[in-house]
Coordinates of all heavy atoms in Angstrom, one line a residue:
M1 N 114.8 91.4 93.8 CA 113.4 91.4 93.4 C 112.6 90.8 94.5 O 112.8 89.6 94.8 CB 113.2 90.6 92.1 CG 113.9 91.3 90.9 SD 113.6 90.5 89.3 CE 112.7 89.0 89.6
K2 N 111.7 91.5 95.0 CA 110.8 91.0 96.0 C 109.4 91.6 95.9 O 109.3 92.8 95.7 CB 111.4 91.4 97.4 CG 110.7 90.8 98.5 CD 111.4 91.1 99.9 CE 110.7 90.4 101.0 NZ 111.3 90.7 102.3
L3 N 108.4 90.8 95.9 CA 107.1 91.2 95.7 C 106.6 91.8 97.0 O 106.9 91.3 98.1 CB 106.1 90.1 95.3 CG 106.1 89.7 93.9 CD1 105.3 88.4 93.7 CD2 105.6 90.8 93.0
K4 N 105.8 92.8 97.0 CA 105.1 93.3 98.2 C 104.1 92.2 98.6 O 103.4 91.6 97.8 CB 104.3 94.6 97.9 CG 105.1 95.7 97.5 CD 104.3 96.9 97.3 CE 105.1 98.1 96.8 NZ 104.2 99.2 96.4
S5 N 104.2 91.8 99.9 CA 103.4 90.6 100.3 C 102.1 91.0 101.0 O 101.8 90.3 102.0 CB 104.3 89.8 101.2 OG 104.7 90.5 102.3
N6 N 101.4 91.9 100.5 CA 100.1 92.1 101.2 C 99.1 91.2 100.5 O 99.2 90.7 99.4 CB 99.6 93.6 101.1 CG 99.5 94.1 99.7 OD1 99.6 93.4 98.8 ND2 99.2 95.4 99.6
K7 N 98.0 90.9 101.3 CA 97.1 89.8 100.9 C 96.4 90.2 99.6 O 96.2 89.4 98.7 CB 96.1 89.7 102.1 CG 95.2 88.5 101.9 CD 94.3 88.4 103.1 CE 93.4 87.2 103.0 NZ 92.6 87.0 104.3
N8 N 95.9 91.5 99.5 CA 95.2 91.9 98.3 C 96.0 91.8 97.0 O 95.5 91.4 96.0 CB 94.7 93.3 98.5 CG 93.6 93.4 99.5 OD1 92.9 92.5 99.9 ND2 93.5 94.6 100.1
S9 N 97.2 92.1 97.1 CA 98.1 92.0 96.0 C 98.3 90.6 95.5 O 98.3 90.3 94.3 CB 99.5 92.6 96.3 OG 100.4 92.5 95.3
I10 N 98.5 89.7 96.4 CA 98.7 88.3 96.1 C 97.4 87.7 95.5 O 97.4 86.9 94.5 CB 99.1 87.5 97.3 CG1 100.6 87.9 97.7 CG2 99.1 86.0 97.0 CD1 101.1 87.4 99.0
I11 N 96.2 88.0 96.0 CA 95.0 87.5 95.5 C 94.7 88.1 94.1 O 94.4 87.3 93.2 CB 93.8 87.9 96.4 CG1 93.9 87.1 97.7 CG2 92.5 87.7 95.8 CD1 92.9 87.5 98.8
F12 N 95.0 89.4 93.9 CA 94.9 90.0 92.6 C 95.7 89.3 91.6 O 95.3 89.0 90.5 CB 95.1 91.5 92.7 CG 95.1 92.2 91.4 CD1 93.9 92.5 90.7 CD2 96.3 92.5 90.7 CE1 93.9 93.1 89.5 CE2 96.3 93.1 89.5 CZ 95.1 93.4 88.9
L13 N 97.0 89.1 91.9 CA 97.9 88.5 91.0 C 97.5 87.1 90.6 O 97.6 86.7 89.5 CB 99.4 88.5 91.5 CG 100.1 89.9 91.5 CD1 101.4 89.7 92.2 CD2 100.2 90.3 90.0
S14 N 97.0 86.3 91.6 CA 96.7 84.9 91.3 C 95.4 84.9 90.4 O 95.4 84.1 89.4 CB 96.5 84.1 92.6 OG 95.4 84.7 93.3
I15 N 94.4 85.7 90.7 CA 93.2 85.7 89.9 C 93.5 86.2 88.5 O 93.1 85.7 87.5 CB 92.1 86.5 90.5 CG1 91.6 85.8 91.8 CG2 91.0 86.8 89.6 CD1 90.6 86.6 92.6
Y16 N 94.3 87.3 88.4 CA 94.7 87.8 87.1 C 95.5 86.9 86.3 O 95.3 86.8 85.1 CB 95.5 89.1 87.3 CG 95.3 90.1 86.3 CD1 94.2 91.0 86.3 CD2 96.2 90.2 85.2 CE1 94.0 91.9 85.3 CE2 96.0 91.1 84.2 CZ 94.9 92.0 84.2 OH 94.8 92.9 83.2
T17 N 96.4 86.1 86.9 CA 97.1 85.1 86.2 C 96.2 84.0 85.6 O 96.4 83.6 84.5 CB 98.2 84.4 87.1 OG1 99.0 85.5 87.7 CG2 99.0 83.4 86.4
L18 N 95.2 83.6 86.4 CA 94.3 82.6 85.9 C 93.5 83.1 84.7 O 93.3 82.4 83.7 CB 93.3 82.2 87.0 CG 93.9 81.3 88.1 CD1 92.9 81.1 89.2 CD2 94.3 80.0 87.5
I19 N 93.0 84.3 84.8 CA 92.2 84.9 83.7 C 93.1 85.1 82.4 O 92.7 84.7 81.3 CB 91.7 86.3 84.1 CG1 90.6 86.1 85.2 CG2 91.1 87.0 82.9 CD1 90.1 87.3 85.8
T20 N 94.3 85.5 82.6 CA 95.2 85.7 81.5 C 95.6 84.4 80.8 O 95.6 84.3 79.6 CB 96.5 86.4 81.9 OG1 96.2 87.6 82.6 CG2 97.4 86.7 80.7
T21 N 95.8 83.3 81.6 CA 96.1 82.0 81.0 C 94.9 81.5 80.3 O 95.1 80.8 79.2 CB 96.6 81.0 82.0 OG1 95.7 80.9 83.1 CG2 98.0 81.4 82.5
M22 N 93.7 81.7 80.8 CA 92.5 81.2 80.1 C 92.3 81.9 78.8 O 92.0 81.3 77.8 CB 91.3 81.4 81.0 CG 91.2 80.4 82.1 SD 89.9 80.6 83.4 CE 88.6 81.3 82.5
L23 N 92.6 83.2 78.8 CA 92.5 84.0 77.5 C 93.5 83.5 76.5 O 93.2 83.4 75.3 CB 92.7 85.5 77.8 CG 91.4 86.2 78.3 CD1 91.8 87.6 78.7 CD2 90.4 86.3 77.2
I24 N 94.7 83.2 76.9 CA 95.8 82.7 76.0 C 95.4 81.4 75.5 O 95.6 81.2 74.3 CB 97.2 82.7 76.8 CG1 97.7 84.1 77.1 CG2 98.2 81.9 75.9 CD1 98.9 84.2 78.0
I25 N 94.9 80.5 76.3 CA 94.5 79.2 75.8 C 93.4 79.3 74.8 O 93.3 78.7 73.7 CB 94.1 78.3 77.0 CG1 95.3 77.9 77.8 CG2 93.4 77.0 76.5 CD1 95.1 77.2 79.1
N26 N 92.3 80.2 75.1 CA 91.2 80.4 74.1 C 91.7 81.0 72.8 O 91.2 80.6 71.8 CB 90.2 81.3 74.8 CG 89.3 80.5 75.7 OD1 89.2 79.3 75.7 ND2 88.6 81.2 76.6
T27 N 92.7 81.9 72.9 CA 93.2 82.5 71.7 C 93.9 81.5 70.8 O 93.7 81.4 69.6 CB 94.2 83.6 72.0 OG1 93.5 84.6 72.9 CG2 94.7 84.3 70.8
I28 N 94.7 80.6 71.4 CA 95.4 79.6 70.7 C 94.5 78.5 70.1 O 94.5 78.1 69.0 CB 96.5 79.0 71.5 CG1 97.6 80.0 71.8 CG2 97.1 77.8 70.9 CD1 98.6 79.6 72.9
K29 N 93.5 78.1 71.0 CA 92.6 77.0 70.6 C 91.6 77.4 69.5 O 91.4 76.7 68.5 CB 91.8 76.6 71.9 CG 91.0 75.3 71.7 CD 90.4 74.9 73.0 CE 89.6 73.6 72.8 NZ 89.1 73.2 74.1
Y30 N 90.9 78.6 69.7 CA 89.9 79.0 68.8 C 90.3 80.0 67.7 O 89.5 80.3 66.8 CB 88.7 79.5 69.5 CG 88.1 78.5 70.5 CD1 88.1 78.6 71.8 CD2 87.5 77.3 69.9 CE1 87.6 77.7 72.7 CE2 87.0 76.4 70.7 CZ 87.0 76.5 72.1 OH 86.5 75.6 72.9
K31 N 91.5 80.6 67.9 CA 92.0 81.6 67.0 C 91.0 82.8 66.8 O 90.8 83.2 65.6 CB 92.4 81.0 65.7 CG 93.5 80.0 65.8 CD 93.8 79.3 64.5 CE 94.9 78.2 64.8 NZ 95.1 77.3 63.7
L32 N 90.5 83.3 67.9 CA 89.6 84.5 67.8 C 90.4 85.7 67.9 O 91.3 85.9 68.8 CB 88.5 84.3 68.9 CG 87.6 83.1 68.9 CD1 86.8 83.1 70.1 CD2 86.8 83.2 67.7
V33 N 90.0 86.7 67.1 CA 90.7 88.0 67.1 C 90.3 88.8 68.4 O 91.2 89.4 69.0 CB 90.3 88.8 65.9 CG1 90.9 90.2 65.9 CG2 90.7 88.1 64.6
V34 N 89.1 88.7 68.9 CA 88.7 89.4 70.1 C 89.4 88.9 71.3 O 89.9 89.7 72.1 CB 87.1 89.2 70.3 CG1 86.7 89.9 71.6 CG2 86.4 89.8 69.1
D35 N 89.6 87.6 71.4 CA 90.4 87.0 72.5 C 91.9 87.5 72.4 O 92.5 87.7 73.4 CB 90.3 85.5 72.5 CG 89.1 85.0 73.2 OD1 88.4 85.8 73.9 OD2 88.8 83.8 73.0
A36 N 92.4 87.6 71.2 CA 93.8 88.0 71.0 C 93.9 89.5 71.5 O 94.9 89.8 72.2 CB 94.2 87.9 69.6
I37 N 93.0 90.3 71.2 CA 93.0 91.7 71.6 C 92.9 91.8 73.2 O 93.7 92.5 73.8 CB 91.9 92.5 71.0 CG1 92.2 92.6 69.5 CG2 91.8 93.9 71.6 CD1 91.0 93.2 68.7
Y38 N 92.0 91.1 73.8 CA 91.8 91.0 75.2 C 93.1 90.5 75.9 O 93.5 91.0 76.9 CB 90.6 90.2 75.6 CG 89.3 90.9 75.4 CD1 88.2 90.2 75.0 CD2 89.1 92.2 75.8 CE1 87.0 90.9 74.8 CE2 87.9 92.9 75.6 CZ 86.9 92.2 75.2 OH 85.7 92.8 75.0
T39 N 93.7 89.5 75.3 CA 94.9 88.9 75.8 C 96.0 89.9 75.9 O 96.8 90.0 76.8 CB 95.3 87.7 75.0 OG1 94.2 86.8 75.1 CG2 96.5 87.0 75.6
I40 N 96.2 90.6 74.8 CA 97.2 91.7 74.7 C 97.0 92.7 75.8 O 97.9 93.2 76.5 CB 97.3 92.3 73.3 CG1 97.8 91.2 72.3 CG2 98.2 93.5 73.3 CD1 97.7 91.6 70.9
I41 N 95.8 93.2 75.9 CA 95.4 94.2 76.9 C 95.7 93.7 78.3 O 96.3 94.3 79.2 CB 94.0 94.7 76.8 CG1 93.8 95.4 75.5 CG2 93.5 95.5 78.0 CD1 92.4 95.7 75.1
F42 N 95.3 92.4 78.6 CA 95.5 91.9 79.9 C 96.9 91.7 80.3 O 97.4 91.9 81.4 CB 94.7 90.5 80.0 CG 93.4 90.6 80.6 CD1 92.3 91.2 79.9 CD2 93.0 90.1 81.9 CE1 91.1 91.3 80.4 CE2 91.8 90.3 82.4 CZ 90.8 90.8 81.7
I43 N 97.7 91.2 79.3 CA 99.1 91.0 79.5 C 99.9 92.3 79.8 O 100.7 92.4 80.7 CB 99.8 90.2 78.4 CG1 99.3 88.8 78.4 CG2 101.3 90.2 78.4 CD1 99.7 87.9 77.2
T44 N 99.5 93.4 79.1 CA 100.2 94.6 79.3 C 99.9 95.2 80.7 O 100.8 95.7 81.4 CB 99.8 95.7 78.3 OG1 98.4 95.8 78.2 CG2 100.4 95.3 76.9
I45 N 98.6 95.1 81.1 CA 98.3 95.5 82.5 C 98.9 94.6 83.5 O 99.4 95.1 84.5 CB 96.7 95.5 82.6 CG1 96.1 96.5 81.8 CG2 96.3 95.7 84.1 CD1 94.5 96.4 81.7
Y46 N 99.0 93.3 83.3 CA 99.7 92.4 84.2 C 101.1 92.7 84.4 O 101.7 92.7 85.5 CB 99.4 91.0 83.7 CG 100.0 89.9 84.5 CD1 99.5 89.6 85.8 CD2 101.0 89.1 84.1 CE1 100.0 88.6 86.6 CE2 101.5 88.1 84.8 CZ 101.0 87.8 86.1 OH 101.5 86.8 86.8
V47 N 101.8 92.9 83.2 CA 103.3 93.2 83.3 C 103.5 94.5 84.0 O 104.4 94.6 84.8 CB 103.9 93.2 81.9 CG1 105.3 93.7 81.8 CG2 103.9 91.7 81.3
R48 N 102.7 95.5 83.7 CA 102.8 96.8 84.4 C 102.6 96.6 85.9 O 103.4 97.2 86.7 CB 101.8 97.7 83.9 CG 101.9 99.1 84.5 CD 100.8 100.0 83.8 NE 100.5 101.1 84.7 CZ 99.6 101.1 85.7 NH1 98.8 100.0 85.8 NH2 99.4 102.1 86.5
Y49 N 101.6 95.9 86.3 CA 101.4 95.7 87.7 C 102.5 94.9 88.4 O 102.9 95.2 89.5 CB 100.1 94.9 87.9 CG 99.6 94.8 89.4 CD1 99.0 96.0 89.9 CD2 99.8 93.7 90.1 CE1 98.6 95.9 91.3 CE2 99.3 93.7 91.4 CZ 98.7 94.8 92.0 OH 98.3 94.7 93.3
L50 N 103.1 93.9 87.7 CA 104.2 93.2 88.3 C 105.4 94.1 88.4 O 106.1 94.0 89.4 CB 104.5 91.9 87.4 CG 103.7 90.7 87.6 CD1 104.2 89.6 86.6 CD2 103.9 90.2 89.0
Y51 N 105.6 94.9 87.4 CA 106.8 95.8 87.4 C 106.6 96.8 88.6 O 107.6 97.0 89.3 CB 106.8 96.6 86.1 CG 107.9 97.6 86.0 CD1 109.2 97.2 85.8 CD2 107.7 98.9 86.3 CE1 110.3 98.1 85.7 CE2 108.7 99.8 86.3 CZ 110.0 99.4 86.0 OH 111.1 100.3 85.9
I52 N 105.4 97.3 88.8 CA 105.2 98.2 90.0 C 105.5 97.5 91.3 O 106.1 98.0 92.2 CB 103.8 98.8 89.9 CG1 103.7 99.8 88.7 CG2 103.4 99.5 91.2 CD1 102.3 100.2 88.5
N53 N 105.0 96.2 91.4 CA 105.2 95.5 92.7 C 106.6 95.0 92.9 O 107.0 95.0 94.1 CB 104.2 94.3 92.7 CG 102.8 94.7 93.2 OD1 102.7 95.6 94.0 ND2 101.8 93.9 92.8
I54 N 107.3 94.7 91.9 CA 108.7 94.2 92.1 C 109.6 95.4 92.4 O 110.5 95.3 93.3 CB 109.1 93.4 90.9 CG1 108.3 92.1 90.8 CG2 110.6 93.1 90.9 CD1 108.6 91.3 89.6
F55 N 109.6 96.4 91.6 CA 110.6 97.5 91.7 C 110.3 98.7 92.6 O 111.0 99.6 92.7 CB 110.9 97.9 90.3 CG 111.6 96.9 89.5 CD1 111.0 96.3 88.4 CD2 112.8 96.4 89.8 CE1 111.6 95.3 87.6 CE2 113.5 95.4 89.1 CZ 112.8 94.9 88.0
N56 N 109.1 98.7 93.2 CA 108.8 99.8 94.1 C 108.8 99.3 95.5 O 108.5 98.3 95.9 CB 107.4 100.4 93.8 CG 107.6 101.3 92.6 OD1 108.6 101.8 92.2 ND2 106.4 101.6 92.0

């Protein structure tokens, strides 16, 4: 398993990780349905992007 190491990919992954963790924290803290939906969408896109970067 090796990530593609171009600069844009690393920046995207780090920013996306921050946004996703903030959404997860807000979902747990405030128990909002909208944040839960956004979190699920963000996590699916994030996992798909990681899968593409690792296995291609």
Side-chain angles (χ1 to χ4, degrees):
M1 291 184 358
K2 188 174 183 182
L3 282 173
K4 293 179 185 175
S5 62
N6 62 7
K7 188 175 181 181
N8 292 336
S9 176
I10 293 172
I11 291 172
F12 175 78
L13 283 175
S14 60
I15 291 173
Y16 210 84
T17 304
L18 288 173
I19 292 171
T20 306
T21 53
M22 287 173 32
L23 279 172
I24 291 170
I25 291 170
N26 281 339
T27 302
I28 293 171
K29 188 174 181 181
Y30 298 115
K31 298 178 182 164
L32 298 174
V33 176
V34 176
D35 277 346
I37 293 169
Y38 283 138
T39 303
I40 292 169
I41 292 170
F42 267 69
I43 289 174
T44 55
I45 294 171
Y46 181 68
V47 168
R48 181 180 157 271
Y49 190 78
L50 278 177
Y51 179 80
I52 289 170
N53 274 333
I54 290 173
F55 294 113
N56 283 342

